[in-house]
Amino acid sequence: MVDFPQQKSSGRIRPGRMGDVRAIHGLLTLFAARGLMLPRSISSLYDHLRDFVVYEEDGSILGICALHICWDNLAEIRSLAVSETQQKRGIGAQLVESCLDEARSLEIDNVFVLTYQAAFFRRFGFVDCDKQELPHKIWSDCLHCSKFPDCDEDALIRRASSPS
């Protein structure tokens, strides 16, 4: 596990549930409005709920993250968001670690991310990659982005042989 400073918490990471969709949507909408991630419809969240893990503390969803399987031996970590008042507590790191653990359990060796927070992901062994190296199949969500085709996010990938 990556060493991040953390405050003591009583929270836990668990799979997303039907009752979490509105909270997940609220977090995503907040950051999407700032252009920091793609917006997701409620319908899309129901369709992809199994991709999500949530960080729950005292009955509140404070963080979310998804592992989306894209292609043979390739998945994407997406939709990482932590409530603004709860950032810098290691919640995001725990969510990413949970997604990487799931990728390992599914025997997925390559996990990528498109992000504005490249330094954060480099701490997990992600390295810069050319977006052109990624299969065209992953760009289906990008077609709905206002920045397409001029994406300004950094692409990073973590291969199974990368250190954690």
Side-chain angles (χ1 to χ4, degrees), residues 11 24 48-49 60 106 114 121 132:
I24 292 169
H48 297 283
L49 184 59
S60 296
L106 295 169
L114 298 171
F121 285 96
Q132 301 304 317

Side-chain angles (χ1 to χ4, degrees), residues 33-54:
R34 297 180 185 160
L36 299 174
M37 62 178 48
L38 289 177
R40 302 256 182 235
S41 68
I42 296 267
S43 174
S44 172
L45 293 176
Y46 281 117
D47 289 344
H48 297 283
L49 184 59
R50 289 183 175 186
D51 291 353
F52 279 89
V53 291
V54 300

Side-chain angles (χ1 to χ4, degrees), residues 141-157:
D141 287 336
C142 299
L143 297 174
H144 306 290
C145 179
S146 63
K147 297 179 182 182
F148 184 79
D150 300 316
C151 178
D152 59 348
E153 290 182 303
D154 293 313
L156 293 96
I157 193 162

